[in-house]
């Protein structure tokens, strides 16, 4: 082949042009890389400025509880002197109640995001505060947890305010209940005293004994707390036969009227009151209820002996709603009624 200088010069120029083009591309690639790096650094700087400047505690933590990153607000919130001091701790050490940490992790693993999780946190200086934690899980392509990222804010003042409101509400409710209790007691005393006054006036009337017993029972059963189950009876004692004889009753079932028309001492609650000469109380049907019948409804009793200088004159009984609780005020009132009733019986029997 014949050497062609012109052709060789053309080839040389081509190689130079390719080299120039390669240099241009290299410079462009370098410039683009530098620009990308500058933008990355700028973005990181903006992120860091935002991360560090937010007044809420921000963090990244590993699944094992190691801190990966924290912002200054979190360092301050947790009471540590600097970032390194907090970074050296494990998240789990800050929980006052370890079960809160377990609950938070369980929900985070299950739901991926947890918002507004409230718990007590122990600061680096030992103080305990209430915080609210919102976080999410960040996973890799295989689904493994890379880290948790979240935000914590101090809600101690809110919790304290809520507690103060609760305390004030509880105190107000307690005061209201105490007032209602006092008013109820005053009303009950007023009703009880009114009934006793009526009986004292009744004792001055010239009535046959049976009529006096019947009217006494009506007055007694008109008292509001007694009238919740307006049933009752009055017995007079027959010492010779050691039995109680029913002389007045209100709203008793026929089987009771028949079985209790003449009741031996010691039998059922009324008979026990006669023998012991003490009040017999029952809040429900129990083993002392010797008198019963098919279909008897649950109920309670106060059975009050009528006494005069220790002598048994009779027994007065009132019915109570099932579950009724024994009450000293009620019992004192019934004793007062029994005393008035015993005076009436004694006077009528003396009159013959």
């Amino acid at each position: 082949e014949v050497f062609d200088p012109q052709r060789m010069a053309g080839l040389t120029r081509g190689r130079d042009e390719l080299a120039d083009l390669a240099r241009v591309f290299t410079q462009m690639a370098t410039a683009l890389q530098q620009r990308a790096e500058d933008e990355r650094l700028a973005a990181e700087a903006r992120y860091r400025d935002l991360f560090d400047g937010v007044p809420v505690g921000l963090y990244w933590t590993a699944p094992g509880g190691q801190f990966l990153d924290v912002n200054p607000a979190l360092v301050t919130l947790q009471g540590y002197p600097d970032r390194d001091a907090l970074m050296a701790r494990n998240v789990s050490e800050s929980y006052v109640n370890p079960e809160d940490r377990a609950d938070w992790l369980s929900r985070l693993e299950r739901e991926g995001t947890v918002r507004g999780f409230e718990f007590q946190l122990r600061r680096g200086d030992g103080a305990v505060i209430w915080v609210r934690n919102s976080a999410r899980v960040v996973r890799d392509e295989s689904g493994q947890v890379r880290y948790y990222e979240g935000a914590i804010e101090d809600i101690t003042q809110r919790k304290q305010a809520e507690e103060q409101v609760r305390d004030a509400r509880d105190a107000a409710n307690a005061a209201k209940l105490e007032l209602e209790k006092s008013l109820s007691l005053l009303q009950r005393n007023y009703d009880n005293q009114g009934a006793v006054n009526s009986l004292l006036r009744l004792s001055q009337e010239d009535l046959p004994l049976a009529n006096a017993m019947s009217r006494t029972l009506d007055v007694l059963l008109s008292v509001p707390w007694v009238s919740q189950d307006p049933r009752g009876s009055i017995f007079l004692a027959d010492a010779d036969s050691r039995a109680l004889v029913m002389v007045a009753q209100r709203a008793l079932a026929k089987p009771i009227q028949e079985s209790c028309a003449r009741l031996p001492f010691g039998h059922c609650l009324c008979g026990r009151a006669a023998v012991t000469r003490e009040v017999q109380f029952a809040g429900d049907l129990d083993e002392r209820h010797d008198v019963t019948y098919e279909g008897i409804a649950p109920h309670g009793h106060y059975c009050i002996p009528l006494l005069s200088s220790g002598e048994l004159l009779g027994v007065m009984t009132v019915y109570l709603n099932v579950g009724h609780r024994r009450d000293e005020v009620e019992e004192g009132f019934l004793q007062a009624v029994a005393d008035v009733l015993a005076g009436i019986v004694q006077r009528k029997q003396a009159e013959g």
Side-chain angles (χ1 to χ4, degrees):
E1 181 178 350
V2 180
F3 174 73
D4 186 347
Q6 292 183 347
R7 182 183 177 193
M8 183 57 69
L11 290 174
T12 300
R13 284 195 304 273
R15 284 196 296 271
D16 291 343
E17 290 174 356
L18 288 174
D20 292 340
L21 187 58
R23 282 193 297 273
V24 170
F25 279 129
T26 299
Q27 292 171 355
M28 289 177 62
T30 300
L32 288 173
Q33 290 176 351
Q34 184 60 49
R35 180 177 178 182
E37 179 66 13
D38 291 343
E39 290 179 352
R40 184 186 66 81
L41 292 174
E44 288 184 355
R46 288 194 299 273
Y47 169 78
R48 175 53 63 179
D49 288 342
L50 179 63
F51 187 80
D52 289 346
V54 171
V56 174
L58 302 179
Y59 65 85
W60 288 8
T61 59
Q66 301 83 8
F67 282 107
L68 302 177
D69 200 1
V70 297
N71 72 342
L74 187 64
V75 175
T76 301
L77 182 147
Q78 296 209 204
Y80 285 90
D82 52 50
R83 181 175 180 275
D84 290 341
L86 177 57
M87 291 286 289
R89 311 295 294 182
N90 190 286
V91 174
S92 60
E93 299 176 52
S94 299
Y95 282 76
V96 173
N97 300 309
E99 58 270 22
D100 287 338
R101 169 74 174 171
D103 184 27
W104 180 79
L105 283 173
S106 176
R107 289 177 55 186
L108 200 56
E109 289 289 331
R110 184 174 62 252
E111 302 170 14
T113 300
V114 174
R115 298 183 184 278
F117 186 85
E118 297 181 359
F119 65 97
Q120 286 184 297
L121 178 148
R122 181 172 286 104
R123 287 164 44 99
D125 57 12
V128 173
I129 61 174
W130 276 96
V131 298
R132 180 169 55 201
N133 187 6
S134 298
R136 73 182 185 96
V137 178
V138 178
R139 301 180 184 274
D140 60 22
E141 294 179 355
S142 65
Q144 296 299 310
V145 176
R146 292 179 57 197
Y147 56 86
Y148 306 125
E149 64 177 8
I152 292 180
E153 56 183 318
D154 187 342
I155 59 170
T156 304
Q157 290 186 348
R158 193 202 79 193
K159 283 288 188 179
Q160 291 173 342
E162 290 175 351
E163 185 175 358
Q164 290 172 355
V165 170
R166 282 195 302 271
D167 290 345
R169 183 169 58 244
D170 291 344
N173 289 337
K176 179 183 177 182
L177 290 175
E178 191 62 31
L179 177 60
E180 290 175 349
K181 182 179 178 180
S182 298
L183 291 175
S184 176
L185 183 58
L186 286 173
Q187 183 62 50
R188 179 180 295 190
N189 288 339
Y190 176 81
D191 294 335
N192 291 348
Q193 189 59 52
V196 171
N197 292 339
S198 296
L199 292 176
L200 289 173
R201 288 192 296 271
L202 178 63
S203 69
Q204 303 303 313
E205 297 184 25
D206 186 16
L207 296 171
L209 181 58
N211 288 356
M213 297 297 97
S214 182
R215 287 183 58 182
T216 296
L217 198 55
D218 288 338
V219 171
L220 176 60
L221 295 179
S222 70
V223 176
W225 70 265
V226 181
S227 66
Q228 292 178 13
D229 189 342
R231 292 181 289 171
S233 58
I234 297 175
F235 298 86
L236 294 182
D238 183 345
D240 294 336
S241 63
R242 291 185 57 78
L244 295 172
V245 179
M246 186 184 296
V247 294
Q249 63 84 23
R250 289 292 181 272
L252 298 189
K254 283 294 184 183
I256 296 295
Q257 293 184 43
E258 294 171 358
S259 298
C260 298
R262 192 173 189 85
L263 192 69
F265 287 1
H267 191 67
C268 207
L269 285 166
C270 294
R272 285 177 169 80
V275 170
T276 63
R277 287 169 167 72
E278 294 178 350
V279 175
Q280 298 293 309
F281 170 83
D284 200 349
L285 295 175
D286 58 24
E287 69 282 354
R288 295 173 297 165
H289 281 74
D290 300 315
V291 177
T292 186
Y293 60 92
E294 184 177 354
I296 187 171
H299 61 273
H301 282 294
Y302 275 118
C303 298
I304 316 292
L306 308 181
L307 303 172
S308 176
S309 300
E311 178 187 358
L312 178 70
L313 301 179
V315 171
M316 175 185 73
T317 182
V318 294
Y319 279 61
L320 303 169
N321 288 334
V322 64
H324 191 94
R325 293 186 178 183
R326 192 167 189 170
D327 183 274
E328 291 184 1
V329 174
E330 294 174 352
E331 202 165 319
F333 162 69
L334 293 174
Q335 289 279 14
V337 172
D339 290 343
V340 174
L341 191 53
I344 295 174
V345 171
Q346 189 175 40
R347 183 166 61 84
K348 293 298 181 182
Q349 289 179 343
E351 291 173 355

